[in-house]
Amino acid sequence: MADSSMDIVSKVDRQEVDNALNQAVKEIATRYDFKNIGASIAWSGEKIVMVANSEERVLAILDVFQTKLIKRGISLKAFDTGDNEPKLSGKEYRLEGVLKEGLAGENAKKVTKIIREEGPKGVKTQITGDEVRATSKSRDDLQAVQALLKGADLDFAVQFTNYR
């Protein structure tokens, strides 16, 4: 019998992020507390930029956007705003956020270390590019690895693909 395998990745569905952004734009346009303050949220290249006339309003826009991301099933660990401090730019405050995708070298090493130390003994890991492949003779071991990583306190989002 062939080994079972799965890929551990950190990817974001751009279409779902776009949908969440569009929903946030609609809510900001209709909410009374955002009227006549120049509040907006939009893509700017690869970044998402939130603009308003006060720090509190920018953080409120961020809260609206994060709520929409959660409703769309996107982990907030995949959206990074740095230190969450809006910067003053002219007469308005701006906050920029980026989507974090791919398991960079350090994060991939963290995942493999967790699996090696706390996971089932029969699971082998291999880092390939920006993903980690886990293989095992038992599918139950791979499901245990999934549960382990979902419960682990990682500072990035993980998904499981190519489960065979």
Side-chain angles (χ1 to χ4, degrees):
M1 186 175 130
D3 286 356
S4 298
S5 68
M6 71 175 171
D7 292 336
I8 303 162
V9 297
S10 181
K11 291 192 168 107
V12 178
D13 185 356
R14 300 283 290 202
Q15 186 60 49
E16 289 296 331
V17 174
D18 210 30
N19 291 341
L21 184 78
N22 290 335
Q23 287 178 341
V25 166
K26 286 180 185 174
E27 183 170 328
I28 290 166
T30 59
R31 272 182 40 177
Y32 179 75
D33 56 337
F34 289 122
K35 291 280 187 227
N36 301 325
I37 64 164
S40 68
I41 180 171
W43 284 104
S44 175
E46 288 296 308
K47 296 180 179 178
I48 295 174
V49 178
M50 293 155 269
V51 179
N53 66 355
S54 72
E55 282 188 59
E56 295 80 25
R57 292 288 178 239
V58 174
L59 294 175
I61 293 170
L62 175 63
D63 184 51
V64 168
F65 182 57
Q66 287 177 335
T67 303
K68 301 301 180 190
L69 286 175
I70 291 169
K71 285 183 179 177
R72 291 240 159 231
I74 298 169
S75 173
L76 293 183
K77 292 178 182 178
F79 183 65
D80 183 27
T81 57
D83 56 2
N84 267 3
E85 284 294 316
K87 309 271 187 291
L88 186 61
S89 172
K91 291 185 177 181
E92 60 191 19
Y93 286 87
R94 300 171 62 94
L95 181 63
E96 295 181 349
V98 294
L99 296 173
K100 296 190 295 186
E101 289 191 292
L103 289 175
E106 286 300 313
N107 292 341
K109 288 177 185 174
K110 271 187 204 174
V111 168
T112 57
K113 183 178 179 192
I114 289 172
I115 293 171
R116 218 176 327 126
E117 292 177 353
E118 302 173 31
K121 295 295 175 217
V123 177
K124 295 177 187 67
T125 57
Q126 178 181 2
I127 299 173
T128 53
D130 61 349
E131 57 188 39
V132 175
R133 167 146 303 167
T135 57
S136 173
K137 295 215 179 288
S138 167
R139 286 179 165 230
D140 293 340
D141 287 350
L142 293 180
Q143 289 176 343
V145 167
Q146 286 182 358
L148 175 70
L149 291 176
K150 285 179 183 174
D153 185 27
L154 301 171
D155 56 344
F156 51 91
V158 292
Q159 293 85 28
F160 307 99
T161 59
N162 294 337
Y163 185 71
R164 301 183 184 130

